[in-house]
Amino acid sequence: MSSKNKSVQLSVSGLSAQILPDGMSPDGYVLEIGGAEQSHLDLGDPSFIFYEYLRRIGNVIDLLAAPGDPLRVAHLGAGALTLVRYVQVTRPGSPQIAVDIERELPSLVLDALPLPAGSRCQVLVEDARAALPALTPALGAAPQAIILDIFSGWSAPEHLADEGFYREMKEVLDAEGALIINVGDDAGLSFFTAQARSLLNVFEHLWCLAPTVMLDGKHAGNLVLVASHHELTADLKTALIGQGPHPASALDTWQVQELIDELS
């Protein structure tokens, strides 16, 4: 068995994790956890992002600083380090930290799928909330982006889905930075609605990026929430919608409030 087909048992969840060829390209791989695809990456082109919600997060990252400028990024939920790789190849030398509670997972990923040359990424095995005090020391200054990618509906750990956690992340985040959250939810979007309400209590502005079809609340899927002190201007909205994946929607703070009122 090659290292790219190695399977490990995760000690916290008890699930099996393995890396397999994606069957689409010679350099494409998927990370499977519990038999379900969790991450995808292309070793030949780490700037390529296959999953739609990750592509939307990448689009936000692209807006946070001038093209090519280093960015301090904290990833809560490491997966296959897809976005770590994206940041490195689009913003070389960026200091990053990836946090995951599963001790075996980063070792599996890094052994089979090494990071691009020059990567400055510290890996921390820790609970996401407990790891917050370590982010700034690891990055050398407050993170300009915190990416939270651990939610899967109401099965999310309670201590990571409450308003207090968002307030703690706001205290850690750079004043000009953004908290970017992937919210996976079932039809009805009740978990998404609860998280959006909590974030609106903490941050001045909250954007939502999603496939247009998700906004009627009738479908399961992923929506991206972006919390910051900056409004989603018409120019930014046009840019994010234009970057796709299509059909794409980008909601500003008032539209997010209207959406969760409609879904409630």
Side-chain angles (χ1 to χ4, degrees):
M1 177 181 293
S2 72
S3 61
K4 291 185 175 62
N5 295 91
K6 182 181 178 182
S7 176
V8 300
Q9 198 78 12
L10 303 178
S11 55
V12 175
S13 67
L15 299 174
S16 176
Q18 62 179 335
I19 294 170
L20 300 168
D22 68 0
M24 297 182 291
S25 66
D27 296 312
Y29 295 90
V30 294
L31 168 64
E32 285 190 356
I33 297 180
E37 286 190 12
Q38 196 272 353
S39 300
H40 175 278
L41 62 93
D42 189 326
L43 280 183
D45 181 11
S47 69
F48 171 74
I49 302 179
F50 180 75
Y51 288 164
E52 287 192 359
Y53 83 87
L54 286 179
R55 180 62 266 173
R56 296 182 205 282
I57 293 175
N59 294 342
V60 175
I61 293 171
D62 291 344
L63 297 175
L64 293 180
D69 283 0
L71 200 65
R72 300 183 301 276
V73 185
H75 306 260
L76 305 183
L81 303 172
T82 303
L83 288 175
V84 171
R85 302 166 197 273
Y86 178 79
V87 171
Q88 169 58 24
V89 298
T90 58
R91 299 176 177 277
S94 293
Q96 301 185 74
I97 181 171
V99 179
D100 203 286
I101 199 169
E102 297 283 9
R103 179 174 301 279
E104 301 82 6
L105 189 57
S107 297
L108 169 70
V109 170
L110 291 172
D111 178 57
L113 307 168
L115 292 176
S119 295
R120 297 173 56 197
C121 181
Q122 178 177 329
V123 175
L124 177 62
V125 176
E126 183 58 277
D127 170 83
R129 192 166 185 173
L132 292 183
L135 302 186
T136 296
L139 298 173
Q144 295 163 284
I146 299 177
I147 301 168
L148 180 64
D149 189 8
I150 54 178
F151 287 159
S152 182
W154 287 106
S155 63
E158 290 185 10
H159 72 294
L160 301 182
D162 69 11
E163 190 172 309
F165 183 37
Y166 294 136
R167 292 191 183 279
E168 291 172 19
M169 283 192 283
K170 181 182 179 182
E171 290 299 315
V172 171
L173 189 66
D174 183 272
E176 297 298 311
L179 170 60
I180 309 169
I181 305 168
N182 169 46
V183 182
D185 204 0
D186 297 323
L189 302 183
S190 61
F191 181 75
F192 164 82
T193 299
Q195 300 314 302
R197 286 195 187 281
S198 292
L199 284 160
L200 285 167
N201 289 335
V202 177
F203 286 86
E204 184 178 0
H205 293 287
L206 183 66
W207 318 345
C208 176
L209 311 179
T212 302
V213 69
M214 287 293 298
L215 300 182
D216 63 9
K218 297 179 181 179
H219 307 275
N222 296 80
L223 305 95
V224 175
L225 289 168
V226 182
S228 77
H229 296 296
H230 299 283
E231 66 175 321
L232 181 59
T233 64
D235 287 346
L236 288 175
K237 181 181 291 191
T238 298
L240 288 169
I241 292 175
Q243 289 167 345
H246 302 290
S249 289
L251 308 184
D252 62 24
T253 306
W254 305 113
Q255 292 171 317
V256 172
Q257 183 66 65
E258 290 176 355
L259 174 62
I260 63 178
D261 288 344
E262 291 172 2
L263 294 171
S264 299

